[in-house]
Amino acid sequence: MPLNAVSIGFKDISLSFLRNPVTNDITSLRNEDAIKKSVFNLIRTQVGERFFNSLLGSNVEGSLFELATDNLLDPLEIEIKNVINNFEPRVILREVEVDPLPDRNTLNISISYDIVGLGAPTQTINFVLQPTRY
């Protein structure tokens, strides 16, 4: 009889460091919210930025000042796929889309994934990346 992969759930601390009013402890993120925040943080973290793991992160932030051409968008999609596949074992990546918004000098990023061992439907993260200075 084969074993079914069932998760007991995921829990991460919230990086806002707000305290829970009941327990007086740091608030936590659970299951879908914890993984969503982790995926977002992986993409926003620059390679070499994390101590003790210089390979973690992506070069997406460094590409925000480039012109939004196919020569930029295809490598960005590959970069996002690689960082999620390499550093987030809790998900199975389904789709990554990077759409430029040249009038606003931003990139609209959409990521779809399934959570391993959790009976949740396919999750989708949509966010906009824009340079912080002009």
Side-chain angles (χ1 to χ4, degrees):
M1 175 162 41
L3 296 175
N4 293 333
V6 178
S7 172
I8 57 172
F10 304 107
K11 184 176 177 181
D12 290 340
I13 64 167
S14 174
L15 296 179
S16 66
F17 295 109
L18 296 175
R19 67 180 179 93
N20 185 319
V22 176
T23 64
N24 235 3
D25 200 3
I26 295 175
T27 56
S28 62
L29 301 172
R30 297 185 186 275
N31 297 333
E32 295 93 342
D33 293 332
I35 293 173
K36 184 181 290 189
K37 192 65 170 175
S38 175
V39 168
F40 180 75
N41 286 338
L42 279 173
I43 294 167
R44 297 297 306 255
T45 301
Q46 296 179 18
V47 174
E49 188 175 9
R50 291 264 176 101
F51 295 119
F52 307 112
N53 193 352
S54 61
L55 299 176
L56 187 130
S58 72
N59 293 316
V60 173
E61 291 284 323
S63 304
L64 292 177
F65 291 100
E66 304 280 334
L67 293 175
T69 64
D70 287 338
N71 294 338
L72 172 70
L73 300 180
D74 293 338
L76 276 180
E77 286 183 11
I78 293 170
E79 179 83 19
I80 292 169
K81 288 177 184 177
N82 286 340
V83 74
I84 293 171
N85 287 329
N86 290 334
F87 296 105
E88 187 51 82
R90 302 178 290 183
V91 303
I92 297 172
L93 192 60
R94 295 290 176 217
E95 185 177 18
V96 173
E97 291 182 18
V98 178
D99 296 319
L101 301 170
D103 294 342
R104 297 168 63 195
N105 197 26
T106 59
L107 296 173
N108 188 19
I109 297 180
S110 177
I111 302 168
S112 298
Y113 58 86
D114 291 326
I115 300 173
V116 175
L118 197 62
T122 299
Q123 303 291 305
T124 302
I125 301 174
N126 294 308
F127 57 94
V128 175
L129 287 178
Q130 60 187 9
T132 56
R133 58 181 186 251
Y134 290 97

Coordinates of all heavy atoms in Angstrom, one line a residue, residues 14-52:
S14 N 6.2 36.1 11.2 CA 5.9 37.3 10.4 C 7.1 38.3 10.6 O 7.5 38.6 11.7 CB 4.6 38.0 10.9 OG 4.4 39.2 10.2
L15 N 7.6 38.7 9.4 CA 8.7 39.7 9.5 C 8.3 41.1 9.8 O 9.2 42.0 9.9 CB 9.4 39.6 8.1 CG 10.1 38.3 7.8 CD1 10.8 38.3 6.4 CD2 11.1 37.8 8.8
S16 N 7.0 41.3 10.1 CA 6.6 42.6 10.6 C 6.9 42.8 12.0 O 7.0 43.9 12.6 CB 5.1 42.8 10.4 OG 4.4 41.9 11.2
F17 N 7.2 41.6 12.7 CA 7.5 41.6 14.1 C 6.5 42.2 15.0 O 6.8 42.7 16.1 CB 8.9 42.2 14.4 CG 10.0 41.3 13.8 CD1 10.7 41.8 12.7 CD2 10.3 40.1 14.2 CE1 11.7 41.1 12.1 CE2 11.3 39.3 13.7 CZ 12.0 39.8 12.6
L18 N 5.2 42.3 14.6 CA 4.1 42.7 15.4 C 3.8 41.7 16.5 O 4.0 40.5 16.2 CB 2.9 43.0 14.6 CG 3.0 44.1 13.5 CD1 1.8 44.2 12.7 CD2 3.3 45.4 14.2
R19 N 3.4 42.1 17.6 CA 3.1 41.1 18.7 C 1.7 40.7 18.7 O 0.8 41.5 18.4 CB 3.6 41.6 20.0 CG 2.8 42.8 20.6 CD 3.3 43.2 21.9 NE 2.6 44.3 22.4 CZ 1.5 44.2 23.2 NH1 1.1 43.0 23.6 NH2 0.9 45.3 23.6
N20 N 1.4 39.5 19.0 CA 0.1 39.0 19.2 C -0.5 39.6 20.4 O 0.1 39.5 21.5 CB 0.1 37.5 19.2 CG -1.3 36.8 19.2 OD1 -2.2 37.3 19.9 ND2 -1.4 35.8 18.5
P21 N -1.7 40.2 20.4 CA -2.2 40.9 21.6 C -2.6 39.9 22.7 O -2.7 40.2 23.8 CB -3.4 41.6 21.1 CG -3.8 41.0 19.8 CD -2.5 40.4 19.2
V22 N -2.9 38.6 22.3 CA -3.3 37.6 23.3 C -2.1 37.0 24.0 O -2.0 36.9 25.2 CB -4.2 36.6 22.7 CG1 -4.6 35.5 23.7 CG2 -5.4 37.2 22.1
T23 N -1.1 36.5 23.1 CA 0.0 35.7 23.7 C 1.2 36.6 23.9 O 2.2 36.1 24.5 CB 0.4 34.6 22.7 OG1 0.9 35.2 21.5 CG2 -0.8 33.6 22.4
N24 N 1.2 37.8 23.4 CA 2.4 38.7 23.5 C 3.6 38.2 22.8 O 4.7 38.6 23.1 CB 2.7 39.0 25.0 CG 2.7 40.4 25.3 OD1 2.4 41.3 24.5 ND2 3.0 40.8 26.6
D25 N 3.4 37.2 21.9 CA 4.5 36.7 21.1 C 4.5 37.3 19.7 O 3.5 37.9 19.4 CB 4.4 35.1 21.1 CG 5.6 34.4 20.7 OD1 6.7 35.1 20.6 OD2 5.6 33.2 20.6
I26 N 5.5 37.0 19.0 CA 5.6 37.5 17.6 C 4.5 36.8 16.8 O 4.3 35.6 16.9 CB 6.9 37.2 16.9 CG1 8.0 38.1 17.6 CG2 6.9 37.6 15.5 CD1 9.4 37.8 17.2
T27 N 3.7 37.5 15.9 CA 2.7 36.9 15.1 C 3.3 35.9 14.1 O 4.5 36.1 13.7 CB 1.9 38.0 14.4 OG1 2.7 38.8 13.6 CG2 1.1 38.9 15.3
S28 N 2.5 35.0 13.8 CA 3.0 33.9 12.8 C 2.1 33.9 11.6 O 1.0 34.3 11.6 CB 3.1 32.6 13.5 OG 1.8 32.2 13.9
L29 N 2.7 33.3 10.5 CA 1.9 33.1 9.3 C 1.8 31.6 9.2 O 2.7 30.8 9.5 CB 2.7 33.7 8.1 CG 3.0 35.1 8.1 CD1 3.9 35.5 7.0 CD2 1.7 35.9 8.0
R30 N 0.6 31.1 8.7 CA 0.4 29.7 8.6 C 0.0 29.3 7.2 O -0.6 30.1 6.5 CB -0.7 29.3 9.6 CG -0.4 29.5 11.0 CD -1.5 29.0 11.9 NE -1.3 29.4 13.3 CZ -0.5 28.7 14.1 NH1 0.1 27.6 13.7 NH2 -0.3 29.0 15.3
N31 N 0.4 28.1 6.8 CA 0.1 27.4 5.6 C 0.2 28.3 4.4 O 1.3 28.7 4.0 CB -1.3 26.8 5.7 CG -1.4 25.7 6.8 OD1 -0.4 25.1 7.1 ND2 -2.5 25.5 7.4
E32 N -0.9 28.6 3.7 CA -0.8 29.4 2.4 C -0.1 30.7 2.6 O 0.6 31.1 1.7 CB -2.2 29.5 1.8 CG -2.9 28.3 1.4 CD -3.8 27.7 2.5 OE1 -3.6 28.1 3.7 OE2 -4.6 26.9 2.1
D33 N -0.5 31.4 3.7 CA 0.1 32.7 3.9 C 1.6 32.7 4.1 O 2.4 33.5 3.6 CB -0.5 33.5 5.0 CG -2.0 33.8 4.8 OD1 -2.3 34.0 3.6 OD2 -2.8 33.9 5.7
A34 N 2.1 31.6 4.8 CA 3.5 31.5 5.1 C 4.3 31.2 3.8 O 5.4 31.8 3.5 CB 3.7 30.3 6.1
I35 N 3.7 30.4 2.9 CA 4.4 30.0 1.7 C 4.4 31.2 0.7 O 5.3 31.5 0.0 CB 3.8 28.7 1.1 CG1 4.1 27.6 2.0 CG2 4.3 28.5 -0.3 CD1 3.4 26.3 1.7
K36 N 3.3 31.9 0.7 CA 3.2 33.1 -0.2 C 4.2 34.1 0.2 O 4.9 34.7 -0.7 CB 1.8 33.7 -0.1 CG 1.5 34.8 -1.0 CD 0.1 35.4 -0.8 CE -0.9 34.4 -1.4 NZ -2.3 35.0 -1.4
K37 N 4.4 34.4 1.4 CA 5.4 35.3 1.9 C 6.8 34.8 1.6 O 7.7 35.6 1.2 CB 5.2 35.6 3.4 CG 6.0 36.8 3.9 CD 5.5 38.1 3.3 CE 6.0 39.3 3.9 NZ 5.7 40.5 3.3
S38 N 7.0 33.5 1.7 CA 8.3 33.0 1.4 C 8.7 33.1 0.0 O 9.8 33.5 -0.4 CB 8.4 31.5 1.9 OG 9.6 30.9 1.5
V39 N 7.7 32.8 -0.9 CA 8.0 33.0 -2.4 C 8.3 34.4 -2.7 O 9.2 34.7 -3.5 CB 6.8 32.4 -3.2 CG1 6.9 32.8 -4.6 CG2 6.7 30.9 -3.0
F40 N 7.5 35.3 -2.2 CA 7.7 36.7 -2.4 C 9.1 37.2 -1.9 O 9.8 37.9 -2.6 CB 6.6 37.5 -1.7 CG 6.7 39.0 -1.9 CD1 6.4 39.6 -3.1 CD2 7.2 39.8 -0.9 CE1 6.5 41.0 -3.3 CE2 7.3 41.2 -1.1 CZ 6.9 41.8 -2.3
N41 N 9.5 36.8 -0.7 CA 10.8 37.1 -0.2 C 11.9 36.5 -1.0 O 13.0 37.2 -1.1 CB 10.9 36.7 1.3 CG 10.1 37.6 2.2 OD1 9.7 38.7 1.9 ND2 9.7 37.1 3.3
L42 N 11.8 35.3 -1.5 CA 12.8 34.7 -2.3 C 13.1 35.6 -3.6 O 14.2 35.8 -4.0 CB 12.4 33.3 -2.8 CG 12.7 32.2 -1.7 CD1 12.1 30.9 -2.2 CD2 14.1 32.1 -1.4
I43 N 12.0 36.1 -4.2 CA 12.2 36.9 -5.4 C 12.8 38.2 -5.1 O 13.6 38.7 -5.9 CB 10.8 37.0 -6.1 CG1 10.4 35.6 -6.6 CG2 10.9 37.9 -7.3 CD1 9.0 35.5 -7.0
R44 N 12.4 38.8 -4.0 CA 12.9 40.2 -3.7 C 14.3 40.2 -3.1 O 14.9 41.2 -3.0 CB 11.9 40.8 -2.7 CG 10.5 41.1 -3.2 CD 10.5 42.1 -4.4 NE 11.1 43.3 -4.2 CZ 10.5 44.5 -4.0 NH1 9.2 44.5 -4.0 NH2 11.2 45.5 -3.8
T45 N 14.8 39.0 -2.6 CA 16.1 38.9 -2.0 C 17.1 38.9 -3.1 O 17.0 38.1 -4.1 CB 16.2 37.7 -1.1 OG1 15.2 37.7 -0.1 CG2 17.6 37.5 -0.5
Q46 N 18.1 39.7 -3.0 CA 19.2 39.7 -4.0 C 20.2 38.6 -3.7 O 20.5 38.3 -2.5 CB 19.9 41.0 -4.1 CG 19.0 42.1 -4.5 CD 19.6 43.5 -4.6 OE1 20.9 43.6 -4.6 NE2 18.9 44.5 -4.6
V47 N 20.8 38.0 -4.7 CA 21.8 37.0 -4.5 C 23.0 37.6 -3.7 O 23.5 38.7 -4.0 CB 22.4 36.5 -5.9 CG1 23.5 35.5 -5.7 CG2 21.2 35.8 -6.7
G48 N 23.4 36.9 -2.7 CA 24.5 37.3 -1.8 C 24.0 38.2 -0.7 O 24.8 38.5 0.2
E49 N 22.8 38.5 -0.6 CA 22.3 39.3 0.5 C 22.1 38.6 1.8 O 22.2 39.2 2.9 CB 20.9 39.9 0.0 CG 20.4 41.0 0.9 CD 19.1 41.6 0.4 OE1 18.5 41.1 -0.6 OE2 18.6 42.6 1.0
R50 N 21.8 37.3 1.8 CA 21.6 36.5 3.0 C 22.9 36.0 3.5 O 23.7 35.4 2.8 CB 20.7 35.3 2.7 CG 19.3 35.7 2.4 CD 18.4 35.6 3.7 NE 17.1 36.0 3.4 CZ 16.1 35.2 3.2 NH1 16.3 33.9 3.3 NH2 14.9 35.6 3.0
F51 N 23.2 36.2 4.8 CA 24.4 35.7 5.4 C 24.3 34.2 5.5 O 23.2 33.6 5.7 CB 24.5 36.2 6.9 CG 24.8 37.7 6.9 CD1 23.9 38.6 7.5 CD2 25.9 38.2 6.3 CE1 24.1 39.9 7.6 CE2 26.2 39.6 6.3 CZ 25.3 40.4 7.0
F52 N 25.4 33.5 5.4 CA 25.5 32.1 5.5 C 24.8 31.3 4.3 O 24.8 30.1 4.4 CB 25.0 31.5 6.8 CG 25.6 32.2 8.0 CD1 24.9 33.1 8.8 CD2 27.0 32.1 8.3 CE1 25.5 33.7 9.9 CE2 27.6 32.8 9.3 CZ 26.8 33.6 10.1

